[in-house]
Amino acid sequence: MKIGIFGGSFDPVHSEHVNLVKEGMESLGLDKLFVMPAFQPPHKQGKRLTPDDKRLQMCALAFEGINGVEVSDYEIAQKGTSYTYLTCRYFKERFPAAELFWLVGTDMLRDFPTWKNPEDILQNATLAVCARNEKEEWIEAEQEKFFKRFGKKFAVIRYNGKNVSSTKIRVWAGAGMDLTPLVPEKVAAYIQKNGLYEIPFASQALGLEKENRRAHSVRVAIFAAENAQRFGIAENKAITAALFHDCAKNLESSAKELDGFEPPLAWGEIPQEVLHQFQGAYVAEKSFFVQDEDVLNAIRYHTSGRPNMSALEKLIFLADMLEEERRYDVVDILRGLFFEKGLDECLERALLETLLFLEKKGGEIYPLTKQAYEFYRKNKAEEVYYGNYE
């Protein structure tokens, strides 16, 4: 008997999860496959997950009607951190004569050596790997690395999945977008009916933006959400700030949403490129009832920056500059700093590049931007590396 186990947070389950299960059943010749929502994945410590019953129900809807597939609440019932090696031990004891397979994508394959007790997992189960948007030659290189590390090979599920993430789905849901391109229809209907991942008034705020600006705001939210946990930022706050950050970008000064707005400096003393950040915070608060001051400040300073920004403010400032479709000369340098060095070093360089760009094109420099750069410039050695802006 061959049994597969497919674990994850499934927050929410999506269409590529379903495709992986179907292809896994066929490629591996499985008699049964357990879909295993985790109570608390080790790599998502501190991250707030959707309630267990709702994740289980979404999985039940996604996999209903697929012969041999069962949604298991084993890890959820155990509570605590969901360690794969313990789950594999349990299933080996339950099915001692069965050949067990633990299903993963190539992203998890590459992380597998960092899992708790990976050798213990491989004593009880064979890793079965599905490609996620990989080139054809991925198998040979990964098998060689895996065998060198563990002395075993992994099984291959003959399917190259699309790069769909639950994070992207949560952002789309928060933005009020149609989820059916990414999740089964019944799951999409369940999410909508239960208001899962809802960001109040985000869809209305996005409705004030032109189509291309709206698409940019969603990409900023995806970037921010994907990186929020790394910096100790609540994902919901990151998504909210990102979805609202440009809500006044396309408004005329006579728009009703701006009734009563007064800029922090006299009219005409703030560059138009900067003014919309203050207007955006005003609209978010007065028209769409955003009350979190950290979120409002992230909107309020996402273009200019300011000294002593919160982690959320820094993240939204950088997400606005680094979202996946941004194209300019130093964007790859900034992305490298963001992922390798973190918020402050990337922010310092981003502020400097903003100042140099404005100086080169003869644009007006808002004082807060220079003050922010000076605040984050750490020492003379970095001035030499980056160049000296005065």
Side-chain angles (χ1 to χ4, degrees), residues 295-318:
V295 170
L296 291 172
N297 281 334
I299 300 167
R300 189 175 284 122
Y301 300 108
H302 77 267
T303 300
S304 68
R306 66 165 178 165
N308 201 26
M309 298 165 76
S310 72
L312 178 63
E313 290 176 61
K314 296 171 190 175
L315 179 60
I316 299 304
F317 181 95
L318 292 171

PDB file of all heavy atoms in Angstrom, residues 295-318:
ATOM      1  N   VAL A 295      -0.498  52.435  10.487  1.00  0.00           N
ATOM      2  CA  VAL A 295      -0.927  52.261   9.100  1.00  0.00           C
ATOM      3  C   VAL A 295      -1.059  53.627   8.421  1.00  0.00           C
ATOM      4  O   VAL A 295      -0.600  53.823   7.287  1.00  0.00           O
ATOM      5  CB  VAL A 295      -2.252  51.490   9.024  1.00  0.00           C
ATOM      6  CG1 VAL A 295      -2.829  51.507   7.605  1.00  0.00           C
ATOM      7  CG2 VAL A 295      -2.049  50.047   9.497  1.00  0.00           C
ATOM      8  N   LEU A 296      -1.676  54.569   9.099  1.00  0.00           N
ATOM      9  CA  LEU A 296      -1.840  55.907   8.521  1.00  0.00           C
ATOM     10  C   LEU A 296      -0.490  56.564   8.257  1.00  0.00           C
ATOM     11  O   LEU A 296      -0.291  57.228   7.227  1.00  0.00           O
ATOM     12  CB  LEU A 296      -2.691  56.778   9.440  1.00  0.00           C
ATOM     13  CG  LEU A 296      -4.171  56.376   9.536  1.00  0.00           C
ATOM     14  CD1 LEU A 296      -4.866  57.181  10.628  1.00  0.00           C
ATOM     15  CD2 LEU A 296      -4.878  56.585   8.192  1.00  0.00           C
ATOM     16  N   ASN A 297       0.463  56.401   9.158  1.00  0.00           N
ATOM     17  CA  ASN A 297       1.787  56.970   8.942  1.00  0.00           C
ATOM     18  C   ASN A 297       2.519  56.298   7.787  1.00  0.00           C
ATOM     19  O   ASN A 297       3.279  56.951   7.055  1.00  0.00           O
ATOM     20  CB  ASN A 297       2.626  56.872  10.219  1.00  0.00           C
ATOM     21  CG  ASN A 297       2.269  57.946  11.220  1.00  0.00           C
ATOM     22  OD1 ASN A 297       1.788  59.024  10.860  1.00  0.00           O
ATOM     23  ND2 ASN A 297       2.503  57.669  12.500  1.00  0.00           N
ATOM     24  N   ALA A 298       2.299  55.001   7.625  1.00  0.00           N
ATOM     25  CA  ALA A 298       2.912  54.307   6.488  1.00  0.00           C
ATOM     26  C   ALA A 298       2.392  54.872   5.172  1.00  0.00           C
ATOM     27  O   ALA A 298       3.137  54.979   4.184  1.00  0.00           O
ATOM     28  CB  ALA A 298       2.643  52.814   6.580  1.00  0.00           C
ATOM     29  N   ILE A 299       1.113  55.216   5.132  1.00  0.00           N
ATOM     30  CA  ILE A 299       0.539  55.876   3.952  1.00  0.00           C
ATOM     31  C   ILE A 299       1.080  57.300   3.847  1.00  0.00           C
ATOM     32  O   ILE A 299       1.485  57.758   2.771  1.00  0.00           O
ATOM     33  CB  ILE A 299      -0.999  55.899   4.049  1.00  0.00           C
ATOM     34  CG1 ILE A 299      -1.570  54.482   4.139  1.00  0.00           C
ATOM     35  CG2 ILE A 299      -1.612  56.651   2.859  1.00  0.00           C
ATOM     36  CD1 ILE A 299      -3.040  54.422   4.537  1.00  0.00           C
ATOM     37  N   ARG A 300       1.138  57.995   4.961  1.00  0.00           N
ATOM     38  CA  ARG A 300       1.466  59.425   5.018  1.00  0.00           C
ATOM     39  C   ARG A 300       2.897  59.725   4.574  1.00  0.00           C
ATOM     40  O   ARG A 300       3.181  60.821   4.095  1.00  0.00           O
ATOM     41  CB  ARG A 300       1.229  59.918   6.445  1.00  0.00           C
ATOM     42  CG  ARG A 300       1.313  61.409   6.631  1.00  0.00           C
ATOM     43  CD  ARG A 300       0.937  61.775   8.068  1.00  0.00           C
ATOM     44  NE  ARG A 300      -0.510  61.696   8.280  1.00  0.00           N
ATOM     45  CZ  ARG A 300      -1.110  60.929   9.184  1.00  0.00           C
ATOM     46  NH1 ARG A 300      -0.380  60.139   9.980  1.00  0.00           N
ATOM     47  NH2 ARG A 300      -2.424  60.935   9.303  1.00  0.00           N
ATOM     48  N   TYR A 301       3.802  58.759   4.716  1.00  0.00           N
ATOM     49  CA  TYR A 301       5.213  59.033   4.410  1.00  0.00           C
ATOM     50  C   TYR A 301       5.798  58.039   3.411  1.00  0.00           C
ATOM     51  O   TYR A 301       7.016  57.891   3.327  1.00  0.00           O
ATOM     52  CB  TYR A 301       6.036  59.007   5.706  1.00  0.00           C
ATOM     53  CG  TYR A 301       5.568  60.039   6.707  1.00  0.00           C
ATOM     54  CD1 TYR A 301       4.875  59.651   7.862  1.00  0.00           C
ATOM     55  CD2 TYR A 301       5.791  61.401   6.496  1.00  0.00           C
ATOM     56  CE1 TYR A 301       4.422  60.590   8.774  1.00  0.00           C
ATOM     57  CE2 TYR A 301       5.334  62.350   7.405  1.00  0.00           C
ATOM     58  CZ  TYR A 301       4.653  61.934   8.543  1.00  0.00           C
ATOM     59  OH  TYR A 301       4.204  62.871   9.443  1.00  0.00           O
ATOM     60  N   HIS A 302       4.939  57.402   2.605  1.00  0.00           N
ATOM     61  CA  HIS A 302       5.449  56.348   1.733  1.00  0.00           C
ATOM     62  C   HIS A 302       6.247  56.872   0.550  1.00  0.00           C
ATOM     63  O   HIS A 302       6.984  56.112  -0.081  1.00  0.00           O
ATOM     64  CB  HIS A 302       4.294  55.460   1.228  1.00  0.00           C
ATOM     65  CG  HIS A 302       3.477  56.062   0.121  1.00  0.00           C
ATOM     66  ND1 HIS A 302       2.330  56.789   0.352  1.00  0.00           N
ATOM     67  CD2 HIS A 302       3.638  56.050  -1.230  1.00  0.00           C
ATOM     68  CE1 HIS A 302       1.816  57.184  -0.804  1.00  0.00           C
ATOM     69  NE2 HIS A 302       2.597  56.754  -1.779  1.00  0.00           N
ATOM     70  N   THR A 303       6.139  58.150   0.241  1.00  0.00           N
ATOM     71  CA  THR A 303       6.900  58.730  -0.870  1.00  0.00           C
ATOM     72  C   THR A 303       8.121  59.500  -0.369  1.00  0.00           C
ATOM     73  O   THR A 303       9.206  59.379  -0.925  1.00  0.00           O
ATOM     74  CB  THR A 303       6.008  59.670  -1.708  1.00  0.00           C
ATOM     75  OG1 THR A 303       4.918  58.919  -2.237  1.00  0.00           O
ATOM     76  CG2 THR A 303       6.795  60.285  -2.858  1.00  0.00           C
ATOM     77  N   SER A 304       7.947  60.297   0.672  1.00  0.00           N
ATOM     78  CA  SER A 304       9.033  61.147   1.162  1.00  0.00           C
ATOM     79  C   SER A 304       9.948  60.429   2.139  1.00  0.00           C
ATOM     80  O   SER A 304      11.138  60.739   2.231  1.00  0.00           O
ATOM     81  CB  SER A 304       8.456  62.382   1.857  1.00  0.00           C
ATOM     82  OG  SER A 304       7.792  62.027   3.059  1.00  0.00           O
ATOM     83  N   GLY A 305       9.396  59.470   2.888  1.00  0.00           N
ATOM     84  CA  GLY A 305      10.127  58.970   4.035  1.00  0.00           C
ATOM     85  C   GLY A 305      10.173  60.035   5.116  1.00  0.00           C
ATOM     86  O   GLY A 305       9.710  61.173   4.928  1.00  0.00           O
ATOM     87  N   ARG A 306      10.739  59.694   6.247  1.00  0.00           N
ATOM     88  CA  ARG A 306      10.952  60.650   7.331  1.00  0.00           C
ATOM     89  C   ARG A 306      11.938  60.028   8.315  1.00  0.00           C
ATOM     90  O   ARG A 306      12.168  58.805   8.288  1.00  0.00           O
ATOM     91  CB  ARG A 306       9.645  60.992   8.039  1.00  0.00           C
ATOM     92  CG  ARG A 306       8.999  59.844   8.792  1.00  0.00           C
ATOM     93  CD  ARG A 306       7.931  60.344   9.738  1.00  0.00           C
ATOM     94  NE  ARG A 306       7.253  59.249  10.435  1.00  0.00           N
ATOM     95  CZ  ARG A 306       6.494  59.408  11.501  1.00  0.00           C
ATOM     96  NH1 ARG A 306       6.291  60.628  12.000  1.00  0.00           N
ATOM     97  NH2 ARG A 306       5.906  58.382  12.085  1.00  0.00           N
ATOM     98  N   PRO A 307      12.535  60.810   9.198  1.00  0.00           N
ATOM     99  CA  PRO A 307      13.418  60.218  10.209  1.00  0.00           C
ATOM    100  C   PRO A 307      12.637  59.296  11.148  1.00  0.00           C
ATOM    101  O   PRO A 307      11.447  59.492  11.392  1.00  0.00           O
ATOM    102  CB  PRO A 307      13.955  61.440  10.967  1.00  0.00           C
ATOM    103  CG  PRO A 307      13.813  62.580  10.016  1.00  0.00           C
ATOM    104  CD  PRO A 307      12.566  62.296   9.228  1.00  0.00           C
ATOM    105  N   ASN A 308      13.331  58.275  11.641  1.00  0.00           N
ATOM    106  CA  ASN A 308      12.804  57.411  12.695  1.00  0.00           C
ATOM    107  C   ASN A 308      11.473  56.757  12.323  1.00  0.00           C
ATOM    108  O   ASN A 308      10.509  56.783  13.085  1.00  0.00           O
ATOM    109  CB  ASN A 308      12.655  58.196  13.998  1.00  0.00           C
ATOM    110  CG  ASN A 308      12.608  57.291  15.215  1.00  0.00           C
ATOM    111  OD1 ASN A 308      13.144  56.189  15.188  1.00  0.00           O
ATOM    112  ND2 ASN A 308      11.968  57.743  16.266  1.00  0.00           N
ATOM    113  N   MET A 309      11.434  56.155  11.153  1.00  0.00           N
ATOM    114  CA  MET A 309      10.227  55.479  10.685  1.00  0.00           C
ATOM    115  C   MET A 309      10.024  54.155  11.424  1.00  0.00           C
ATOM    116  O   MET A 309      10.980  53.511  11.849  1.00  0.00           O
ATOM    117  CB  MET A 309      10.328  55.215   9.178  1.00  0.00           C
ATOM    118  CG  MET A 309      10.445  56.486   8.341  1.00  0.00           C
ATOM    119  SD  MET A 309      11.005  56.154   6.651  1.00  0.00           S
ATOM    120  CE  MET A 309       9.507  55.492   5.925  1.00  0.00           C
ATOM    121  N   SER A 310       8.766  53.752  11.563  1.00  0.00           N
ATOM    122  CA  SER A 310       8.471  52.432  12.115  1.00  0.00           C
ATOM    123  C   SER A 310       8.818  51.364  11.081  1.00  0.00           C
ATOM    124  O   SER A 310       9.017  51.657   9.892  1.00  0.00           O
ATOM    125  CB  SER A 310       6.990  52.328  12.480  1.00  0.00           C
ATOM    126  OG  SER A 310       6.195  52.248  11.304  1.00  0.00           O
ATOM    127  N   ALA A 311       8.850  50.108  11.518  1.00  0.00           N
ATOM    128  CA  ALA A 311       9.139  49.018  10.593  1.00  0.00           C
ATOM    129  C   ALA A 311       8.099  48.974   9.473  1.00  0.00           C
ATOM    130  O   ALA A 311       8.435  48.747   8.300  1.00  0.00           O
ATOM    131  CB  ALA A 311       9.175  47.690  11.339  1.00  0.00           C
ATOM    132  N   LEU A 312       6.832  49.202   9.798  1.00  0.00           N
ATOM    133  CA  LEU A 312       5.788  49.196   8.772  1.00  0.00           C
ATOM    134  C   LEU A 312       5.991  50.331   7.787  1.00  0.00           C
ATOM    135  O   LEU A 312       5.849  50.138   6.570  1.00  0.00           O
ATOM    136  CB  LEU A 312       4.406  49.309   9.426  1.00  0.00           C
ATOM    137  CG  LEU A 312       3.225  49.364   8.466  1.00  0.00           C
ATOM    138  CD1 LEU A 312       3.118  48.085   7.641  1.00  0.00           C
ATOM    139  CD2 LEU A 312       1.914  49.610   9.216  1.00  0.00           C
ATOM    140  N   GLU A 313       6.319  51.518   8.266  1.00  0.00           N
ATOM    141  CA  GLU A 313       6.571  52.644   7.364  1.00  0.00           C
ATOM    142  C   GLU A 313       7.702  52.327   6.394  1.00  0.00           C
ATOM    143  O   GLU A 313       7.619  52.605   5.197  1.00  0.00           O
ATOM    144  CB  GLU A 313       6.922  53.893   8.172  1.00  0.00           C
ATOM    145  CG  GLU A 313       5.766  54.485   8.965  1.00  0.00           C
ATOM    146  CD  GLU A 313       6.220  55.660   9.818  1.00  0.00           C
ATOM    147  OE1 GLU A 313       6.709  56.660   9.241  1.00  0.00           O
ATOM    148  OE2 GLU A 313       6.110  55.580  11.055  1.00  0.00           O
ATOM    149  N   LYS A 314       8.780  51.750   6.919  1.00  0.00           N
ATOM    150  CA  LYS A 314       9.916  51.395   6.060  1.00  0.00           C
ATOM    151  C   LYS A 314       9.511  50.373   5.017  1.00  0.00           C
ATOM    152  O   LYS A 314       9.872  50.485   3.839  1.00  0.00           O
ATOM    153  CB  LYS A 314      11.058  50.835   6.913  1.00  0.00           C
ATOM    154  CG  LYS A 314      11.664  51.793   7.906  1.00  0.00           C
ATOM    155  CD  LYS A 314      12.632  51.055   8.831  1.00  0.00           C
ATOM    156  CE  LYS A 314      13.085  51.914   9.992  1.00  0.00           C
ATOM    157  NZ  LYS A 314      13.938  51.146  10.946  1.00  0.00           N
ATOM    158  N   LEU A 315       8.758  49.368   5.442  1.00  0.00           N
ATOM    159  CA  LEU A 315       8.360  48.307   4.526  1.00  0.00           C
ATOM    160  C   LEU A 315       7.508  48.845   3.390  1.00  0.00           C
ATOM    161  O   LEU A 315       7.716  48.484   2.222  1.00  0.00           O
ATOM    162  CB  LEU A 315       7.608  47.214   5.284  1.00  0.00           C
ATOM    163  CG  LEU A 315       7.106  46.035   4.431  1.00  0.00           C
ATOM    164  CD1 LEU A 315       8.262  45.321   3.751  1.00  0.00           C
ATOM    165  CD2 LEU A 315       6.304  45.052   5.290  1.00  0.00           C
ATOM    166  N   ILE A 316       6.538  49.707   3.689  1.00  0.00           N
ATOM    167  CA  ILE A 316       5.667  50.232   2.632  1.00  0.00           C
ATOM    168  C   ILE A 316       6.450  51.167   1.717  1.00  0.00           C
ATOM    169  O   ILE A 316       6.275  51.133   0.482  1.00  0.00           O
ATOM    170  CB  ILE A 316       4.442  50.946   3.251  1.00  0.00           C
ATOM    171  CG1 ILE A 316       3.609  49.960   4.086  1.00  0.00           C
ATOM    172  CG2 ILE A 316       3.583  51.582   2.157  1.00  0.00           C
ATOM    173  CD1 ILE A 316       3.151  48.725   3.334  1.00  0.00           C
ATOM    174  N   PHE A 317       7.326  51.993   2.270  1.00  0.00           N
ATOM    175  CA  PHE A 317       8.181  52.859   1.444  1.00  0.00           C
ATOM    176  C   PHE A 317       8.965  52.007   0.448  1.00  0.00           C
ATOM    177  O   PHE A 317       9.025  52.330  -0.754  1.00  0.00           O
ATOM    178  CB  PHE A 317       9.134  53.641   2.351  1.00  0.00           C
ATOM    179  CG  PHE A 317      10.045  54.590   1.616  1.00  0.00           C
ATOM    180  CD1 PHE A 317       9.711  55.929   1.474  1.00  0.00           C
ATOM    181  CD2 PHE A 317      11.243  54.151   1.083  1.00  0.00           C
ATOM    182  CE1 PHE A 317      10.555  56.810   0.791  1.00  0.00           C
ATOM    183  CE2 PHE A 317      12.086  55.011   0.395  1.00  0.00           C
ATOM    184  CZ  PHE A 317      11.736  56.343   0.252  1.00  0.00           C
ATOM    185  N   LEU A 318       9.561  50.922   0.919  1.00  0.00           N
ATOM    186  CA  LEU A 318      10.397  50.095   0.049  1.00  0.00           C
ATOM    187  C   LEU A 318       9.566  49.210  -0.874  1.00  0.00           C
ATOM    188  O   LEU A 318       9.938  49.012  -2.033  1.00  0.00           O
ATOM    189  CB  LEU A 318      11.339  49.246   0.901  1.00  0.00           C
ATOM    190  CG  LEU A 318      12.407  50.053   1.648  1.00  0.00           C
ATOM    191  CD1 LEU A 318      13.157  49.178   2.637  1.00  0.00           C
ATOM    192  CD2 LEU A 318      13.376  50.708   0.668  1.00  0.00           C
TER     193      LEU A 318
END
